[in-house]
Amino acid sequence: MAEIHAVSFSDLPADAGLSPADVREHRRSLYRFERLVLFGVLHIVSILAALALAFPGNAPVFGFLFGIVVNLGLIVAAALTANAEKA
């Protein structure tokens, strides 16, 4: 199995030609990508939970409301954290 280790700025070769602004922008894009993946996973899990409530749980109205509320909450949380990041 492959080893996982953190890479620090001191691990970059001196001739990499990366400015601190480039590294900051790369970290920001990586952070945005991580948030996008997290949102996608949470969205899929909430849909599956709503379907489990609706069909095997025999509570279709509650499953529908649960799905709508949780997904709206995810969208609002994503919007609020995106705005907080810009500030």
Side-chain angles (χ1 to χ4, degrees):
M1 190 190 252
E3 269 187 52
I4 298 174
H5 66 283
V7 177
S8 68
F9 289 120
S10 62
D11 293 339
L12 292 173
D15 60 348
L18 297 174
S19 68
D22 289 338
V23 174
R24 276 193 301 275
E25 186 59 34
H26 177 71
R27 284 189 173 184
R28 281 190 202 118
S29 64
L30 179 63
Y31 176 70
R32 289 182 192 125
F33 178 72
E34 287 176 349
R35 287 187 49 239
L36 180 67
V37 169
L38 178 64
F39 176 79
V41 168
L42 290 175
H43 176 72
I44 291 170
V45 168
S46 69
I47 292 296
L48 291 175
L51 287 172
L53 283 170
F55 294 111
N58 200 20
V61 174
F62 183 68
F64 175 75
L65 292 175
F66 175 80
I68 296 295
V69 169
V70 169
N71 283 307
L72 287 176
L74 283 172
I75 292 169
V76 168
L80 290 177
T81 57
N83 288 338
E85 179 185 334
K86 291 178 185 176

